[in-house]
Amino acid sequence: MRGHGLAGENPDRTELIEKLGVDIDPELLGLALTHRSYAYEHGGIPNNERLEFLGDSILGQAVTVKLFRENPDLDEGELAKRRASLVSSVALAEVARGIGLGEYLLLGRGENQSGGREKASILADTVEAIIGAAYLDLGGTEATALVLRLVEPLLGDPDRFGAAMDPKTSLQEAAAHRGAGLPVYTVTSTGPDHSKVFHASVSVGELVTAEGEGTSKKQAEMAAALTAWTELTSRRARASRG
């Protein structure tokens, strides 16, 4: 069983490397996975924030170029909307969950106990840090290829662009299209005031119920809404195929 960001761990990252498709230098990969809470508890060792800063730039450039080249008929406004969707915390957190990134994070005890492995902001920041690490170790070409592999699932589903940016509105529209009432949200929170985790549940009549988490009420509701929207649209697609 892998570690959970506690002192003395030496997690096996073989599966993560396979999912990423790039063999990043172990030291750089470890740094990319090191959250500031873990760094603080271990004597102020380096954390992944500088790599995150670098990776954010690489991510934005790679996505911008791909969208520009592959969508010659889209105007600047629509291109900007799609780019913002792909690099949003909601989208990157979804990418992170798809590769099981949460279990590899190096978190401090408090962050770990308060659900840090599922926080969209932490997951998204770590994805960017990994991209930054790939750039430093392997260069721009490999880092760009990594970005495109990670966002490919979102690129292949254009409807998710609007949903990832504004999942609550997208869910409301999907509910109205099916003749259902407005989505109903319930939000609770756990943890101390300085490090709360919000848990949201949303239901659309009898059609679907979904949950989400985040570091704010809004973020948790957005995560729940995106999950519910995905389920509703998946059902519609399956029904149309059937």
Side-chain angles (χ1 to χ4, degrees), residues 14-195:
T14 303
E15 289 184 20
L16 175 60
I17 291 171
E18 291 176 353
K19 290 176 182 178
L20 293 172
V22 288
D23 193 2
I24 301 172
D25 173 78
E27 185 174 346
L28 271 175
L29 180 58
L31 179 59
L33 296 169
T34 302
H35 186 257
R36 63 177 178 271
S37 62
Y38 183 90
Y40 175 78
E41 290 185 7
H42 290 77
I45 62 175
N47 61 50
N48 64 7
E49 291 180 347
R50 282 174 53 83
L51 286 177
E52 173 200 338
F53 171 78
L54 176 61
D56 176 68
S57 178
I58 306 304
L59 169 70
Q61 181 184 47
V63 169
T64 298
V65 172
K66 184 173 181 64
L67 289 175
F68 180 86
R69 286 178 172 170
E70 296 191 356
N71 299 277
D73 298 328
L74 295 183
D75 62 23
E76 186 227 0
E78 183 61 24
L79 286 171
K81 177 182 176 182
R82 293 192 175 198
R83 177 180 60 192
S85 164
L86 286 169
V87 302
S88 69
S89 292
V90 172
L92 292 180
E94 186 176 347
V95 167
R97 294 186 182 105
I99 60 175
L101 186 59
E103 66 179 297
Y104 298 95
L105 300 178
L106 297 176
L107 300 176
R109 291 182 182 274
E111 194 66 71
N112 185 54
Q113 292 170 0
S114 64
R117 295 180 188 283
E118 286 299 320
K119 288 183 181 178
S121 58
I122 292 178
L123 290 171
D125 290 348
T126 306
V127 170
E128 291 179 338
I130 289 174
I131 294 168
Y135 178 85
L136 287 181
D137 186 32
L138 305 169
T141 300
E142 287 292 336
T144 296
L146 171 61
V147 169
L148 298 182
R149 283 196 301 275
L150 291 174
V151 302
E152 187 65 34
L154 298 180
L155 284 167
D157 189 355
D159 289 339
R160 294 191 68 83
F161 288 124
M165 283 300 294
D166 191 356
K168 294 182 69 174
T169 298
S170 296
L171 178 61
Q172 184 174 325
E173 291 173 349
H177 184 75
R178 290 159 180 75
L182 291 173
V184 177
Y185 294 86
T186 302
V187 181
T188 59
S189 64
T190 57
D193 289 341
H194 67 279
S195 184

